[in-house]
Amino acid sequence: MYKYRLLEKSLKEYLDTFKVVAIVGPKFCGKTTLSERFANSSIFLTPLNKNDFKTMLQLNKNEFLSPPYPKLIDEWQLIPEIWDVIRHEVDHMDGRGFFVLTGSSAANLDETAHSGAGRISRLTLRPMSLYETGASSGAISLKTLFSKVAITYKKSNLTVADYAKWIIKGGWPESIDDTEQQSIRRMQSYIDALVKEDINKVTSKKYNENRTRKILESLARYTASETTNRKILSDLSAIETATAENTLLDYLDVLNKLYIIEDLKSWNPNLRSKTVIRSTAARFFVDPSIGATMLKLTSSKLLKDFETFGLFFEALVIRDLRIYAEVLGGEVYRYKDKSGLEIDAIIQLDDARWAALEVKMGSHLFDEAAEKLKNFANKIDLNKMEAPSFLAIISATEYAYQREDGIYVIPIGMLKD
């Protein structure tokens, strides 16, 4: 049964604006299912039929590109020249919303002769947020918070045990109704396919399975942290004598192109003082279930190890904030400066409005988090940029409310776009 995806709003808007929309994201996040809801005709490419369709494209291009539109071309990267053919074709077509292209690898975007700028626009679909799965009540809207409408005292329906379960299950559409054990089995199969097959389809290079697994395991251990490549190389020394940093960078690049990892970039605001801002990105998977599977975690293990639980809870929050923010035309960043002040998430919208958020599971950490948020807000040069639309602590606790200092406490299980 199809569940509503927040990206539907963006896809509709993009089809009304651009001639072609390319939807990218990891395998099995729902790109094809989402696109089919907007398509009036479709071509589904597979390794078995790609040669037939490649012949059609060469000998009968008009049939391949024929209406009705929008026309979905699924897994277009199996025939990379499709990008340039479509880009050239739509140059001579009046109107918008002709094609939807879906793909699970960014590698072929590097091989296209033209970017498609102005004609082809890209949207990233991630695994589902808690709101999309139905776990979050959606009682608190990020859009409303940016409009500075105060929230009232509300109770969340999710418990700490629920968050542990959703970290393990992830936001994969096929796993929503699975048991936890079924989800674990599904993710193990997903990772097996990734390290044995998918990673070797991205470029002409061949990637070692054991090395790939060790890198994924190391990234899982450093989830939500700003670990260096040197630490990952140190982990790799357990299976091989030495790995060049360029080799590691090559593996990280291909995992990025498969939309498996997605680092959180640093935010550079205008500050009152000349504080040095650190630019090291924080490490995240596109979905926390990937890292959880690499570390063989279960919900019961998380409930016995709150240090690990806290890191993966932050990963869950960052995934959801990215989904909600992008629907509003925004992006999520991280902040850390030389003084040691660190803010877990900064959401900045296209219109320059922004908010700062700390991620804390328990209420015993709220006062410390609130002080960090206030100290950070005081560093901003208000002559050069706006004051924050709001400051908030995203939690795993039961209640949403506004503290006396004006800072919101919001359970992630109540948030939506």
Side-chain angles (χ1 to χ4, degrees), residues 45 57 64 73 76 79-87 101:
L45 297 176
L57 184 64
F64 188 94
I73 302 179
W76 71 270
I79 307 177
E81 53 265 39
I82 284 175
W83 182 280
D84 287 335
V85 169
I86 286 180
R87 184 206 60 82
L101 310 178

Side-chain angles (χ1 to χ4, degrees), residues 55 65 141 162 208 280 283 323:
T55 300
L65 302 176
S141 164
D162 290 325
N208 179 274
T280 305
R283 309 280 187 174
I323 293 169

Side-chain angles (χ1 to χ4, degrees), residues 135-146:
S136 170
S137 66
I140 298 173
S141 164
L142 193 61
K143 182 178 182 179
T144 298
L145 290 168
F146 271 106

Side-chain angles (χ1 to χ4, degrees), residues 390-405:
F390 65 93
L391 304 174
I393 300 167
I394 307 298
S395 77
T397 51
E398 286 187 276
Y399 295 97
Y401 58 93
Q402 187 171 24
R403 291 165 45 104
E404 290 183 0
D405 56 13

